Structure formats: C-alpha cells, structure tokens
Amino acid sequence: MTMVVAAETPPLSADASGAFRVGGSRVTLDSVVSAFRDGSTAEEIVEQYPAISLGQVYAVIAYYLAHTAEVDDYLRTRD
C-alpha cells in the first residue's frame, strides 16, 4: 500500500466583511491566533470554541506558523 501525500487547503474562508472564519463557523482566524499566541493549546482552543474541530485548529495554527508575516499583516488591518 502506498501512501499519497497531498497538500491541504487551510479551513479558512472570508465572509462578506472580509473576516476569515474557520471551517464555515463563526469563529474567526483572529480568535484562534489570539488564543494560540496567549499560550492556549489546540485542545484548549477547541474547548473554548466547540464549533470547530481539533483538526481545523491544528490546520489554522500550521497555516499561521507557515505564513506568520501575512497573517500578522491581516490582523493589523483588522484592528
């Protein structure tokens, strides 16, 4: 059996106001990144925002870590 590795798109989509939300929920990228920066684990973030899954949180954190400058720019424009 051969394992196929494929890149996955982060579970983020922009709403009408331009805010990125996680997995079709009302939870924003801003909220997940803020909780992560404050030291919350992915599991704690899911407890805080039960509308999103653990996999979605890890995917958003991975996206943030891989694109920190871009996400930080986006967050600055949201403030």
Side-chain angles (χ1 to χ4, degrees), residues 8-33:
E8 292 193 26
T9 306
L12 296 169
S13 57
D15 66 13
S17 71
F20 281 93
R21 300 199 179 269
V22 180
S25 72
R26 295 182 53 103
V27 180
T28 62
L29 171 62
D30 312 43
S31 299
V32 174
V33 170

Side-chain angles (χ1 to χ4, degrees), residues 30-77:
D30 312 43
S31 299
V32 174
V33 170
S34 177
F36 177 70
R37 284 181 178 168
D38 288 343
S40 294
T41 65
E43 291 79 7
E44 291 168 337
I45 295 170
V46 169
E47 286 179 16
Q48 190 174 0
Y49 303 105
I52 57 178
S53 72
L54 185 59
Q56 289 171 323
V57 172
Y58 274 114
V60 169
I61 291 170
Y63 181 81
Y64 171 64
L65 292 173
H67 300 91
T68 305
E70 295 95 327
V71 174
D72 286 346
D73 286 344
Y74 160 77
L75 295 174
R76 274 192 291 280
T77 64

